[in-house]
Amino acid sequence: MNIALKLYLLLILCTYSGCGGNKKKTHEVRHSEVIYHDTLINLGKIGEKDSAEMSFGISCTSDVPFVVHKVQPTCGCTIAEKPKTCSKGDTVYISATFDPTGQEGPITKSILVYGNTKPKLRILKYEAFVIK
């Protein structure tokens, strides 16, 4: 076989066998875009035996629905609810309840929100002054 024929066959073989380099297939991860209407809520003065409720509003502004994977308060004195999935143009709320029992004076607490946004973590905060 002459050299030109061998090169031609090698070219055909490489073309059909994927010999054109390591083309890695990438999986595009799409992130949702949102607007947090509240990232810090001031509850004002509250009594130690009172509980306080709050809501943090989040609106989805992209075609990729906003999914909250986890809502995690940073202390046991707060209970927070994970919202449903939010579509473009909709607003969802993370509702939380703070129980100030055993606390006194100024406090600042956080709620961690993990979702399909970039960055994945958003920290929401609230503050209050607890009166005994």
Side-chain angles (χ1 to χ4, degrees):
M1 232 192 280
N2 69 24
I3 213 136
L5 183 58
K6 286 181 183 178
L7 287 175
Y8 177 74
L9 291 175
L10 182 61
L11 178 64
I12 299 282
L13 181 65
C14 285
T15 302
Y16 290 106
S17 67
C19 194
N22 288 337
K23 292 184 181 177
K24 192 175 186 180
K25 290 184 180 179
T26 59
H27 176 9
E28 181 183 344
V29 176
R30 298 182 62 206
H31 297 96
S32 182
E33 295 176 15
V34 298
I35 295 172
Y36 284 84
H37 299 285
D38 307 293
T39 56
L40 174 64
I41 293 178
N42 186 327
L43 299 172
K45 293 180 181 180
I46 58 173
E48 178 192 16
K49 300 203 184 292
D50 299 327
S51 63
E53 296 182 0
M54 67 206 89
S55 290
F56 297 89
I58 308 165
S59 296
C60 181
T61 59
S62 67
D63 291 330
V64 178
F66 175 52
V67 179
V68 175
H69 301 297
K70 182 165 84 170
V71 174
Q72 180 180 354
T74 57
C75 69
C77 61
T78 305
I79 297 171
E81 297 178 21
K82 184 173 106 170
K84 63 180 177 68
T85 298
C86 182
S87 298
K88 183 176 184 175
D90 291 340
T91 299
V92 293
Y93 296 90
I94 293 178
S95 299
T97 304
F98 167 59
D99 179 2
T101 303
Q103 300 188 46
E104 182 178 9
I107 60 98
T108 301
K109 304 290 182 178
S110 299
I111 300 171
L112 309 178
V113 180
Y114 297 89
N116 64 331
T117 55
K118 193 170 186 178
K120 292 180 181 183
L121 170 63
R122 183 66 181 240
I123 300 173
L124 307 177
K125 294 185 178 196
Y126 66 91
E127 57 189 16
F129 191 89
V130 180
I131 303 169
K132 276 217 178 235

